[in-house]
């Protein structure tokens, strides 16, 4: 048996401008992602039995900025998700023909066991599923010794979901097209702190885009380039004045109660807040780890908030790991 472990980050969109849908139904985007330190881990192992199987362990992220807390649960919604719809499995399947064509080890007849360790809530607007796909692509590329370049992995990732390339490249990156054609932006290397408020139930990305269309919110023209001011601030520690999400009005139309979570963040000292992607997760910028923890403390009394997390950004893209982190290394679930 061989095993490769990889991780990939979740994201928040610092800027998300969306146009009107084009022929394929997708919306042209002009978006800046920031990868954050909430990461998904995927362990990919060979096994004798043919086929690809997946097990998903779900952890509650820590609102103190440290390791996720508590014992893992098998997520009900993921346990019920058929394996063929699990993005980690779809990622591995997308690589199978390449393994077969290159007759590398683990050609399509070989078995594969994936274990996904999740800290990013499903359907939350933070690309948790896409991070699973990104980590699986990196792990399986290595396990099957396919030798695909980062660009080739992005091309495969794009076929799995619009956010998968962002989880592959990480850092702070401009996404064009469906948001899946990436340019990594310069950074001065400083970290900044985020507080995240998760909701009891997720929002469907297609439903938010449909609401966006119903409200007639699509820009007729997207910006051609990032403003200089954005670039200057994006490279520095904070960008509050530039946080903007065109999907926010659609998400708020479906979930008006989210606005209160944002207002509470400001009252608790956050510099700015934004709905993460298509929501419903609320992301608040804070000027220190302690300030982010204080925002989480204020959120915990709100009935709309199921849990909170502190994380920093920008974090690295999908990468091979030597081992699972201590909180996820809970034994053999294969
Ligand atoms: O690519 P992905 O499967 O993650 O997208 C989920 C859904 O979100 C799409 O089916 C589409 O309805 C919507 N979407 C969109 N425009 C984008 C990205 C996603 O309309 N640029």
């Amino acid at each position: 048996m061989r095993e490769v472990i990889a991780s990939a980050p979740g994201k928040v969109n610092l800027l998300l401008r969306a146009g009107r849908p084009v022929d394929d139904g997708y919306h042209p985007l002009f978006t800046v992602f920031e990868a954050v330190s909430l990461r998904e881990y995927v362990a990919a192992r060979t096994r004798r039995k043919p086929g690809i199987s997946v097990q998903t362990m779900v952890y509650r992220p820590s609102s103190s900025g440290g390791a996720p807390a508590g014992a893992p649960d098998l997520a009900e919604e993921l346990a019920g998700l058929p394996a063929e719809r699990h993005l980690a499995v779809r990622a591995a399947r997308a690589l199978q023909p390449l393994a077969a064509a290159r007759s590398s080890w683990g050609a399509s007849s070989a078995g594969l066991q994936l274990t996904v360790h999740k800290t990013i809530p499903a359907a939350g607007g933070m690309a948790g599923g896409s991070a699973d796909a990104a980590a699986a692509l990196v792990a399986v590329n290595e396990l099957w010794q396919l030798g695909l370049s980062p660009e080739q992995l992005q091309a495969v990732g794009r076929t799995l979901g619009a956010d998968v390339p962002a989880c592959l490249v990480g850092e702070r990156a401009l996404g064009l097209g469906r948001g899946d054609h990436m340019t990594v932006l310069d950074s001065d290397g400083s970290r900044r702190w985020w507080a995240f408020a998760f909701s009891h139930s997720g929002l469907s990305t297609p439903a938010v885009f449909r609401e966006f269309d119903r409200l007639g919110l699509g820009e007729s023209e997207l910006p051609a380039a990032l403003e200089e001011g954005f670039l200057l601030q994006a490279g520095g520690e904070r960008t509050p004045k530039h946080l903007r999400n065109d999907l926010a009005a659609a998400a708020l139309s479906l979930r008006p109660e989210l606005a209160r979570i944002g207002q509470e963040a400001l009252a608790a000292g956050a510099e700015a807040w934004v709905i993460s992607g298509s929501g419903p997760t609320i992301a608040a910028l804070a000027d220190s780890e302690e300030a982010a923890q204080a925002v989480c403390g204020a959120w915990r009394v709100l009935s709309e908030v199921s849990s909170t997390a502190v994380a920093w950004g920008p974090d690295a893209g999908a990468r091979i790991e030597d081992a699972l982190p201590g909180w996820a290394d809970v034994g053999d679930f294969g």
Side-chain angles (χ1 to χ4, degrees):
M1 184 200 75
R2 292 178 61 240
E3 180 178 63
V4 174
I5 294 162
S7 72
K11 59 81 183 171
V12 55
N13 301 76
L14 303 179
L15 178 71
L16 194 161
R17 308 283 298 271
R20 297 180 189 137
V22 288
D23 295 346
D24 60 7
Y26 275 76
H27 295 70
L29 297 186
F30 183 99
T31 184
V32 176
F33 294 96
E34 179 163 298
V36 296
S37 59
L38 292 182
R39 300 183 76 86
E40 306 280 77
Y41 287 78
V42 172
R45 351 173 133 155
T46 56
R47 59 164 199 192
R48 240 173 287 162
K49 191 170 157 220
I52 300 174
S53 65
V54 65
Q55 179 157 36
T56 305
M57 318 298 297
V58 176
Y59 306 78
R60 182 178 281 258
S62 158
S63 51
S64 63
D73 302 319
L74 274 181
E76 279 181 29
E77 77 266 39
L78 289 168
L81 182 75
E84 63 275 11
R85 284 188 47 216
H86 198 303
L87 272 169
V89 174
R90 290 183 50 213
R93 280 206 208 297
L95 297 181
Q96 261 180 330
L98 299 167
R102 289 175 198 213
S103 53
S104 26
W105 196 99
S108 46
S109 62
L112 179 69
Q113 163 72 41
L114 298 170
T115 308
V116 179
H117 298 269
K118 285 190 75 65
T119 60
I120 304 168
M126 291 189 67
S130 298
D132 297 346
L137 285 173
V138 166
V140 174
N141 183 42
E142 178 73 18
L143 186 76
W144 289 347
Q145 296 169 6
L146 300 176
L148 297 182
S149 67
E151 292 71 25
Q152 287 171 315
L153 288 176
Q154 283 175 52
V156 177
R158 212 168 273 136
T159 67
L160 300 166
D163 288 339
V164 179
C167 296
L168 283 166
V169 303
E171 306 297 345
R172 208 172 285 138
L174 175 66
L176 300 177
R178 294 176 173 186
D180 56 350
H181 288 266
M182 311 310 300
T183 307
V184 174
L185 302 174
D186 287 342
S187 158
D188 67 3
S190 60
R191 285 181 177 182
R192 58 172 156 218
W193 290 92
W194 292 95
F196 293 102
F198 304 119
S199 292
H200 295 283
S201 58
L203 264 176
S204 139
T205 301
V208 173
F209 274 109
R210 275 197 302 277
E211 182 70 357
F212 177 84
D213 295 339
R214 193 184 69 80
L215 297 170
L217 295 174
E219 302 260 346
S220 51
E221 267 186 62
L222 292 178
L226 282 172
E227 293 164 41
E228 203 177 328
F230 182 95
L231 285 173
L232 283 174
Q233 289 213 15
E237 275 178 38
R238 296 191 273 279
T239 59
K241 105 177 173 199
H242 287 282
L243 290 178
R244 171 177 170 170
N245 182 355
D246 286 356
L247 293 179
L252 285 169
S253 165
L254 297 173
R255 293 278 185 86
E257 69 276 15
L258 294 176
R260 184 173 160 218
I261 305 175
Q263 284 148 12
E264 191 62 38
L266 295 180
E271 298 184 316
W273 66 277
V274 71
I275 290 179
S276 184
S278 54
T281 302
I282 300 290
L285 263 180
D287 66 6
S288 66
E289 182 174 8
E290 295 70 31
Q293 287 165 353
V295 172
C296 289
W299 276 337
R300 274 195 290 274
V301 301
L302 300 183
S303 58
E304 298 90 336
V305 174
S306 71
S307 61
T308 62
V310 169
W312 51 266
D315 197 7
R319 64 181 178 215
I320 299 287
E321 302 281 354
D322 292 338
L324 287 173
W327 51 263
D329 199 1
V330 285
D332 188 347
F333 288 87

